[in-house]
Amino acid sequence: MDFAGLLRAIDWKFLEDSLTRLLAVLLCLTVHETSHGLAACALGDPTARDRQRLSLNPFRHIDWLGLAMMLVVGFGWAKPVPVDPRYFKKPKQGMALTALAGPVSNFLLALAAVFLSREIYLRFPYRQGGELMFEFLLYTLAPLSIGLGIFNLLPIPPLDGSKVLGAFLPDRVYFGLMRYERYGMFLLLALSWFGVTGGLIRGAIWEVYRFFFELFF
């Protein structure tokens, strides 16, 4: 097969869709982690800023396994932003607010994507080329970002939901829960492997996405 034949054999639509999904995933993860760092910095913790994690450069935030999970099953994680709760006036509450900033940023990102897709739909009735590609990116981005936000709200260490839950628990219970943080990811991988969380999260994604959609359409 010559070079021209090789080019004709490439599934360009699949390649374009895959690259669009990768871009959406990187944007979701980058916004999520940067928001953690910004929240911590606003509460008095400069650790993320000092370690250059207040950045929209996705390569500062990538965890390759979490990225692969996000691409394959629709939810995953990035490299955790370093946070030192000793800087917070109220450590548990500070950790909860810092943790909550990530999922909230994902819901806001999804909301913005739905709004922009509406604007493109109304303003460009004869969409083509770049407009169609950008619209497809937005439609890919919204459910992925919602999924990342919902997944991270699960109250399983080390996910953000466990930190949010911790603000309402007695110190003894909270620090006891955090002792198992290192094992939480293995539990999450097992739950994902056996499909325990997938159906529940997909249903929640659809409900949130439909709510956002109905706000603008």
Side-chain angles (χ1 to χ4, degrees):
M1 181 182 295
D2 59 13
F3 183 69
L6 179 62
L7 290 178
R8 287 193 297 270
I10 295 175
D11 187 343
W12 292 105
K13 182 65 169 62
F14 173 78
L15 182 60
E16 179 184 307
D17 291 351
S18 298
L19 289 174
T20 300
R21 184 174 177 83
L22 176 61
L23 179 59
V25 166
L26 290 175
L27 184 56
C28 290
L29 294 174
T30 300
V31 167
H32 182 101
E33 294 303 323
T34 302
S35 296
H36 281 318
L38 288 171
C41 195
L43 291 168
D45 176 16
T47 309
R49 183 193 64 206
D50 293 345
R51 298 189 186 181
Q52 299 183 319
R53 293 297 300 276
L54 302 185
S55 171
L56 293 178
N57 177 358
F59 292 101
R60 295 191 183 278
H61 306 291
I62 286 176
D63 177 292
W64 294 106
L65 177 58
L67 177 63
M69 288 287 291
M70 192 79 176
L71 288 169
V72 174
V73 301
F75 56 88
W77 57 89
K79 189 189 304 179
V81 164
V83 177
D84 189 343
R86 292 175 297 181
Y87 285 102
F88 300 145
K89 293 179 180 178
K90 296 181 178 180
K92 282 201 308 181
Q93 287 78 5
M95 287 297 295
L97 290 172
T98 299
L100 192 60
V104 168
S105 72
N106 285 125
F107 295 133
L108 292 176
L109 179 63
L111 193 63
V114 174
F115 173 75
L116 287 174
S117 66
R118 171 188 178 275
E119 290 300 298
I120 291 174
Y121 176 80
L122 293 176
R123 295 175 184 274
F124 301 96
Y126 305 105
R127 298 178 297 285
Q128 58 183 347
E131 294 155 4
L132 281 174
M133 288 180 64
F134 185 57
E135 186 178 33
F136 179 68
L137 171 64
L138 294 173
Y139 279 118
T140 304
L141 176 65
L144 277 173
S145 196
I146 292 168
L148 184 63
I150 291 172
F151 175 68
N152 275 279
L153 284 176
L154 294 175
I156 301 174
L159 297 182
D160 300 327
S162 65
K163 310 294 194 307
V164 176
L165 176 64
F168 303 96
L169 297 175
D171 288 349
R172 178 179 57 83
V173 177
Y174 173 71
F175 291 113
L177 180 65
M178 289 302 105
R179 279 206 301 267
Y180 297 98
E181 186 171 16
R182 70 183 68 180
Y183 306 111
M185 199 56 69
F186 295 107
L187 174 61
L188 290 166
L189 289 172
L191 291 174
S192 299
W193 177 264
F194 290 107
V196 175
T197 58
L200 292 173
I201 290 177
R202 279 191 293 271
I205 291 170
W206 167 246
E207 291 301 323
V208 175
Y209 183 68
R210 185 173 66 176
F211 173 72
F212 286 173
F213 195 83
E214 290 175 351
L215 288 176
F216 300 118
F217 285 87

